[in-house]
Amino acid sequence: MRLLTAALALSRNNLPKPASVLVSSCRTCSSGITPNERIRNIGISAHIDSGKTTLTERVLYYTGRIAEMHEVRGKDGVGAVMDSMELERQRGITIQSAATYTMWKQHNINIIDTPGHVDFTIEVERSLRVLDGAVLVLCAVGGVQCQTLTVNRQMKRYGVPHLTFINKLDRMGANPARALQQLRTKLNHNTAFVNIPIGLEGNLRGIIDLIEERSIYFEGPCGQNIHFDEIPAEMRTEAAERRQELVECVANADETLGEIFLEERVPTVDDLKAAIRRTTIQRSFSPVLVGSALKNKGVQPLLDAVLDYLPNPSEVNNYAILNDEESSNSSKVLMDSTRDATKPYVGLAFKLEAGRFGQLTYVRVYQGCLKKGEYIYNTRTGKRVRVQRLVCLHADQMEDVEEVYAGDICALFGIDCASGDTFTARTSANLSMESIHVPDPVISMAIKPANKNDTDKFSKGISRFTREDPTFRVHFDTESKETIISGMGELHLEIYSQRMEREYNCSCVMGKPKVAFRETVTSPVPFDFTHKKQSGGSGQYGKVVGVLEPLDPENYTKVEFEDQTIGTNIPKQFVPAVEKGFRDACEKGPLTGHKISGIRFVLEDGAHHMVDSNEISFIRAGEGAMKEAMENANAVILEPIMSVEIVAPNEFQGAVIAGVNRRHGVITGQDGAEGYFTLYADIPLNDMFGYSTELRSCTEGKGEYTMEYSRYQPCLPSVQEELVNKYLEATGQLPAKKGKWKN
């Protein structure tokens, strides 16, 4: 019914005939089984602010899926359909990838709109894993930007064929030719224009289709009336040159067209289209289309190109891994994409979301058929679950369906699973679809609920977010007693903190996490300690004599105990008690209250009393000896040193090295390849906070780094003094400095 009302509304908007035919044809397709040739699964991905969501909005409008268009941060305050989260509408950015489906020329197109920020890169990763094709959107002014490189790497990883759409031709300084050049030099794509613009910036009038050799104009208030015409006289030479260039680029990658080209015949329109389709699916060529989504130009030719050049589910080979329990090796099984119930069902859960009705699981069906009410098995856990409700998605609205077939993207309700789980129709099938690549987190912060009473809401929210997002990690640091969250960037963690407040009504306080410092001694210290306590009845007595020695730098995290006593001055049954006392005393150091490590406690001699000596006496003696030794020793604070690897383009080398030096880093090595350099450095963890943001800003977002723990080493005297003073102030042994309270 909803589709019919949309159709009536559209036909009133004086739409041309094809569109109204298209809407009515929706019903015939959805009732029968749509064949594979008439299905496309595509994703729209690009750099931040290239116009992905605006483009999706236009696509939905022209295909009759929505009755009116709204802008991403429009004056009417409605916001785009795909940005269904309130935070997305407020900030004008996409945070979660949203799925929808639509019909165009009797083809069913499943579309996933993905975010552009590097912080939400997992959303793009998950979407590309399950899609057959993609549209890479470029800004005509910015060209190839840093996130475009990341998206391109992801497409390469999953072998996804793609079209390129150069958007924002109406902006000042738009230069599609430069963007095309960058595609060739920076991304090494074999690529050429399939259509070119008539006019640029303010006087963008239409586009020229180089394959059909005609001009296309978009008329009407929303550009829905398409008007074909001859190529304007002043553009003919350029159009001929660009068409020749297109034929050459495709001929280089396709043998059939190459033969026609070498025989100097002119390829027909059908020859050229077939060749572009073959080469696009093989990823040896990428057609480039142009337009401006905001000004409603060039969207319909893009939709036609999706049908003409991107693969349908049967043209992409998807493999599942057969995990054989008897043998350690695993073999690959090709999935059968025919749309019927002959083969057993196989699907991949690629995204989780907590909706109003419980957990929503997005599933891509790779083989067979899934009906409502059937039982399916989770191959990771081996659990059997029932499909209670099966829906197709349109942003945050759902439409119930009875069955889905191979090639469809749908969602299931109330199924407990993790992101990347494989579902099959029977237990014996030990299949798992290849898992999704999850990048490591780059930034960590401490988080706690602002109000102590909100702990339940806090833990509920945190557990839901970690299930939904594999790049969002949480652990409880037992040493500092803090909850530490890690993610892909500051924006990523900030968004989660805001979602916690909005969705769970639990405001959170975020701060810099505490660093696990250690304390140690620099030279051996002798000790001689007697613990005496007299009370009514038997008292306590224990005496220990020995030396406290520092360990080698590579053993700075260890604590060792050595028993060198001879004879029975300390009975052997009390030696473990001395060790326990010593280890208990290591939990809190005298300088800053951090753990003591990197020391060896050598027990040389002692004394005991026949009646008063017992286990507790020697535990106390061990503790007291340790404290006495630490007070007499020259103690230093150790800090964790991270080995950091930074990759950035060569032109930012100076800025990156200066940033490392500013953070007290020691550069250990460097190498370079293909315009990028890699810098290896050792930097104290205490100085690494906020580095990801600084690195992104000083390298225009193109630099990235990874760090891992390397070792502990004594910190600088100035840092040690600052830490000791902070500890004394916090424990009230030193008056807080004046003027501090203003902060």
Side-chain angles (χ1 to χ4, degrees), residues 378-635:
N378 184 337
T379 54
R380 185 179 58 92
T381 58
K383 282 186 184 160
R384 185 175 89 143
V385 287
R386 183 168 178 268
V387 182
Q388 295 162 344
R389 193 173 162 201
L390 204 54
V391 292
C392 273
L393 290 145
H394 174 48
D396 57 345
Q397 297 143 25
M398 298 152 209
E399 291 169 23
D400 281 273
V401 288
E402 290 302 313
E403 54 192 10
V404 287
Y405 292 92
D408 287 339
I409 291 176
C410 63
L412 313 173
F413 269 108
I415 285 179
D416 188 33
C417 66
S419 184
D421 280 0
T422 306
F423 288 109
T424 57
R426 54 171 201 263
T427 42
S428 57
N430 263 340
L431 292 173
S432 63
M433 299 306 297
E434 298 148 292
S435 63
I436 297 161
H437 169 81
V438 178
D440 293 324
V442 296
I443 184 172
S444 300
M445 288 183 101
I447 186 169
K448 64 172 195 277
N451 188 350
K452 286 265 170 66
N453 307 338
D454 288 344
T455 322
D456 318 349
K457 294 181 192 168
F458 178 73
S459 57
K460 217 183 254 175
I462 287 282
S463 71
R464 174 190 141 189
F465 294 151
T466 44
R467 265 217 313 271
E468 278 181 23
D469 185 350
T471 54
F472 179 72
R473 316 263 172 92
V474 179
H475 70 276
F476 183 75
D477 192 342
T478 47
E479 202 168 303
S480 61
K481 306 279 187 291
E482 288 181 317
T483 305
I484 308 289
I485 54 174
S486 324
M488 300 303 299
E490 287 182 19
L491 177 71
H492 189 197
L493 299 182
E494 190 189 323
I495 290 282
Y496 275 120
S497 163
Q498 291 186 354
R499 283 183 63 186
M500 196 74 101
E501 197 166 334
R502 300 208 160 186
E503 295 171 27
Y504 287 92
N505 196 13
C506 164
S507 52
C508 296
V509 181
M510 289 171 79
K512 174 179 152 182
K514 292 177 186 163
V515 175
F517 290 104
R518 296 273 190 269
E519 298 179 23
T520 191
V521 296
T522 51
S523 52
V525 192
F527 59 81
D528 178 348
F529 183 80
T530 313
H531 171 71
K532 268 196 230 167
K533 189 174 182 190
Q534 203 59 48
S535 58
S538 63
Q540 295 177 5
Y541 179 85
K543 180 179 184 185
V544 287
V545 179
V547 75
L548 194 65
E549 303 173 343
L551 293 172
D552 303 337
E554 54 265 25
N555 293 331
Y556 266 157
T557 52
K558 292 182 181 161
V559 173
E560 290 181 8
F561 177 85
E562 200 175 316
D563 174 23
Q564 291 183 359
T565 54
I566 301 163
T568 57
N569 282 354
I570 296 182
K572 288 295 174 205
Q573 75 259 32
F574 292 142
V575 172
V578 179
E579 182 177 355
K580 184 178 185 321
F582 151 66
R583 289 193 185 273
D584 287 352
C586 286
E587 288 299 312
K588 199 169 182 195
L591 290 178
T592 58
H594 287 100
K595 282 186 181 177
I596 301 171
S597 68
I599 53 172
R600 181 188 289 122
F601 185 98
V602 181
L603 181 64
E604 289 170 346
D605 198 7
H608 78 290
H609 188 275
M610 288 300 292
V611 182
D612 290 356
S613 283
N614 53 14
E615 203 165 317
I616 191 79
S617 323
F618 278 101
I619 290 179
R620 293 278 170 269
E623 275 182 19
M626 177 73 194
K627 282 181 178 152
E628 182 190 84
M630 284 302 285
E631 277 163 16
N632 300 334
N634 180 17

Side-chain angles (χ1 to χ4, degrees), residues 295-317:
K295 296 285 183 279
N296 311 316
K297 288 182 173 44
V299 179
Q300 293 94 327
L302 174 69
L303 278 167
D304 292 340
V306 165
L307 305 188
D308 289 341
Y309 311 131
L310 286 183
N312 64 48
S314 63
E315 288 171 307
V316 178
N317 290 340

Side-chain angles (χ1 to χ4, degrees), residues 716-734:
L716 298 170
S718 58
V719 177
Q720 176 161 337
E721 189 183 348
E722 188 188 333
L723 287 167
V724 171
N725 285 345
K726 266 188 191 165
Y727 177 68
L728 293 176
E729 279 175 26
T731 52
Q733 299 168 39
L734 198 75

Side-chain angles (χ1 to χ4, degrees), residues 15-24 62-63 104:
L15 264 173
K17 276 286 183 291
S20 47
V21 171
L22 163 163
V23 177
S24 58
Y62 292 135
T63 55
W104 176 251

Side-chain angles (χ1 to χ4, degrees), residues 170-244:
D170 54 311
R171 268 184 69 184
M172 290 296 288
N175 189 343
R178 193 186 68 212
L180 181 78
Q181 201 51 44
Q182 287 179 341
L183 279 171
R184 288 173 179 164
T185 54
K186 290 190 176 178
L187 303 183
N188 300 328
H189 285 178
N190 172 24
T191 181
F193 282 122
V194 176
N195 51 30
I196 54 172
I198 304 174
L200 278 177
E201 297 175 3
N203 49 14
L204 173 68
R205 298 195 302 280
I207 56 178
I208 294 173
D209 184 345
L210 297 178
I211 296 175
E212 305 265 0
E213 296 187 280
R214 60 187 181 185
S215 61
I216 310 173
Y217 298 99
F218 306 91
E219 292 163 359
C222 299
Q224 68 275 60
N225 302 333
I226 304 178
H227 163 63
F228 298 104
D229 206 349
E230 298 257 310
I231 298 179
E234 70 275 10
M235 300 282 293
R236 276 185 192 148
T237 47
E238 190 192 343
E241 284 166 13
R242 289 289 187 189
R243 182 182 163 103
Q244 188 59 22

Side-chain angles (χ1 to χ4, degrees), residues 45 121 133 161 164 169 308 312 327-328 358 362 410 412 495 557 598 714 732:
S45 48
T121 186
T164 309
L169 292 180
D308 289 341
N312 64 48
S327 60
S328 55
Y362 288 70
C410 63
L412 313 173
I495 290 282
T557 52

